[in-house]
Amino acid sequence: MIVTLDAYSGAPNPWWELAEKDAKQLIDRLAHRALDEPSVVDGILGYRGLIVEARSDDQLPEGMPSSFRISGPLPKEYKRPESKEAALSMNEADETARFLLNTGREHLDEGLFPFIEEATRMRAQAPAAERAVEDKEALKLATVVAPCVIHNTPYNPGFWNRPNVQPYNNCYNYSMNWRSDTFAQPGRISGHQWTAINCSNVGAAANWDGCRTTCLGSNKNVALVIAPGPGFIDYHWYRRHSQGFWGHKPGGTAARNIDNAGRLIDGVHLTPANCNRGPYTIFCGYRFSPTGMHVR
Amino acid sequence: MTVELDVFSGRPNPAWKLSPAESAKLAEMLKDIPPSQMVGAEGGLGYRGFVLSNPERAAGLPTRIRIYNGMVIVDEESSPRSYRDTHGVERALLRQASERGYGEILKALLPAENQPF
């Protein structure tokens, strides 16, 4: 999940990625609460809260929006849509903002913290709240690496099939489960982008990004195929889901779990018998994409 | 206005800009095409038609139009509008793609009877 501090006017706002442990804490804090859209904010100069945005389709539980704003000053005329779920109180929102800000200490100028505290205090017209317990917890960013854990996630096409996401993310984004909005290319984020379309070149470029042919730690199953030409030369990726079937996203079109013949891509293995791949006739093999892998 | 030949999955699609005269000609072809109740298919791996991107609304056309399989889909709102391609827009764009150097791609993907050669 990406957190953006909305405070600047000319300079770009700083952003950072939440560690998995912090993301879980955030979800626990905000479960079953009504959250404000990122666009709901009073356009004042200065601190305007934090924007949280999911970058992959398994990061937020069902019912939670894929992006929202925390602790932003609301426009005076704004009325929250009716919801069964309770909105955060100002105090809860500010505490959550403090927790988030603490996760971004490495990315933020130290001088920002007192400025934000003061802005929060002025707005709340109340004494500054005590530091959240989670602040201390957030600093313990232990990562446990298991020998090999397959962690395929549920099929969630709704995350991808939205007008502001679908055209800008391709099969590589989908299979590695990372929304970059850049039509990601194997190797680009690591500075080793593919130079030819064949199994070894595209596979090696993806390896530079973190993809592997052997399983180590927490991974999802992915597979690479190639359209070898003549005439039509391209690559394509699939990702296996926790329900057992495979999903994919042909270019800028919708994410789906059906093949070129309209059949559910079911089965442990992708074979021509259970997956019509059209012109992508070369099967390069199965690979392991580490949980949380990024692409660009 | 940009025309995208929607064929690739991993690589960016081939795309080209239309001149004002070409845009006007395309707008003329898209005029008065009949609406359709059918939901246009998006297509799978391989040839998926064309996407017209027109953020500046040149020639009075919508910002995003998909043309595929005999259908014209105006795709700029939450509920897309479908029309029948009775004026041969897709065929004309296939010819244009071929003239712009993408004939080999189309040859590899389209059945002989649909090729603009």
Side-chain angles (χ1 to χ4, degrees):
Chain A
M1 258 185 274
I2 302 292
V3 180
T4 303
L5 167 64
D6 189 12
Y8 291 100
S9 175
N13 285 319
W15 60 272
W16 61 97
E17 193 191 344
L18 275 186
E20 200 176 326
K21 185 171 171 290
D22 297 331
K24 275 186 188 149
Q25 283 197 39
L26 180 69
I27 288 166
D28 286 345
R29 275 173 180 268
L30 303 180
H32 309 298
R33 306 303 293 268
L35 298 166
D36 293 318
E37 286 182 22
S39 58
V40 176
V41 66
D42 192 5
I44 56 167
L45 287 174
Y47 177 59
R48 295 179 292 270
L50 295 133
I51 297 164
V52 178
E53 189 176 26
R55 279 281 152 173
S56 62
D57 62 25
D58 61 327
Q59 288 181 333
L60 290 172
E62 214 178 318
M64 197 176 269
S66 58
S67 60
F68 49 88
R69 183 181 290 266
I70 293 289
S71 189
L74 296 172
K76 283 189 182 68
E77 70 283 8
Y78 178 67
K79 274 193 181 167
R80 276 208 177 84
E82 294 225 351
S83 168
K84 283 184 209 158
E85 295 164 330
L88 296 175
S89 68
M90 189 182 280
N91 200 41
E92 285 173 320
D94 291 344
E95 291 254 349
T96 305
R98 285 192 188 91
F99 161 69
L100 288 171
L101 285 165
N102 207 44
T103 66
R105 276 195 183 274
E106 285 177 25
H107 307 268
L108 299 172
D109 189 308
E110 264 309 303
L112 277 171
F113 286 83
F115 158 74
I116 292 168
E117 266 305 322
E118 179 61 11
T120 305
R121 193 187 65 76
M122 293 285 284
R123 201 171 67 225
Q125 292 289 301
E130 287 178 19
R131 284 170 66 84
V133 175
E134 288 82 350
D135 287 0
K136 294 169 194 165
E137 288 296 307
L139 297 173
K140 303 172 193 168
L141 303 176
T143 307
V144 178
V145 178
C148 173
V149 178
I150 297 301
H151 183 66
N152 291 324
T153 56
Y155 181 56
N156 183 12
F159 176 85
W160 302 95
N161 301 345
R162 296 178 282 156
N164 61 335
V165 176
Q166 186 182 307
Y168 313 110
N169 293 278
N170 63 1
C171 59
Y172 192 51
N173 288 106
Y174 184 84
S175 63
M176 303 304 154
N177 198 13
W178 190 255
R179 172 192 164 192
S180 66
D181 296 341
T182 59
F183 220 76
Q185 296 300 310
R188 184 151 69 192
I189 197 167
S190 56
H192 297 86
Q193 188 171 324
W194 59 268
T195 52
I197 304 269
N198 56 56
C199 288
S200 61
N201 197 297
V202 177
N207 288 354
W208 277 106
D209 292 348
C211 208
R212 287 188 282 253
T213 51
T214 53
C215 180
L216 183 71
S218 176
N219 288 278
K220 51 196 172 290
N221 296 116
V222 297
L224 171 64
V225 296
I226 296 281
F232 183 73
I233 302 169
D234 191 23
Y235 64 85
H236 183 61
W237 292 85
Y238 294 87
R239 165 159 61 110
R240 193 154 188 249
H241 290 285
S242 56
Q243 294 94 330
F245 52 73
W246 294 79
H248 66 138
K249 185 176 184 302
T253 66
R256 62 195 73 185
N257 58 0
I258 56 172
D259 67 2
N260 255 26
R263 299 170 305 175
L264 179 72
I265 311 171
D266 209 355
V268 176
H269 300 293
L270 283 175
T271 65
N274 68 14
C275 182
N276 179 330
R277 306 195 304 260
Y280 297 77
T281 53
I282 306 287
F283 186 75
C284 302
Y286 301 102
R287 283 158 191 271
F288 300 95
S289 165
T291 302
M293 179 178 156
H294 296 194
V295 297
R296 187 171 70 216
Chain B
M1 193 183 309
T2 305
V3 179
E4 209 178 288
L5 171 59
D6 191 10
V7 285
F8 290 136
S9 176
R11 302 163 65 185
N13 283 323
W16 59 94
K17 285 206 181 303
L18 293 186
S19 68
E22 287 170 324
S23 299
K25 194 173 168 195
L26 192 63
E28 190 58 36
M29 290 187 83
L30 287 165
K31 219 159 108 182
D32 300 327
I33 49 173
S36 168
Q37 298 302 314
M38 286 174 64
V39 179
E42 206 177 25
L45 293 172
Y47 175 72
R48 296 182 293 269
F50 297 88
V51 179
L52 304 185
S53 299
N54 185 26
E56 65 278 19
R57 292 185 176 273
L61 289 174
T63 54
R64 190 175 159 87
I65 306 172
R66 273 193 304 125
I67 295 144
Y68 174 56
N69 203 22
M71 301 284 289
V72 174
I73 317 288
V74 175
D75 214 4
E76 64 181 352
E77 288 149 22
S78 52
S79 50
R81 300 191 305 276
S82 303
Y83 301 86
R84 280 167 42 221
D85 180 13
T86 50
H87 295 172
V89 179
E90 186 173 6
R91 191 90 191 147
L93 289 171
L94 282 168
R95 266 197 306 275
Q96 197 175 92
S98 181
E99 286 158 14
R100 307 262 172 159
Y102 304 116
E104 290 305 307
I105 292 177
L106 297 175
K107 234 183 227 174
L109 294 177
L110 292 173
E113 64 271 22
N114 290 351
Q115 290 181 10
F117 318 106

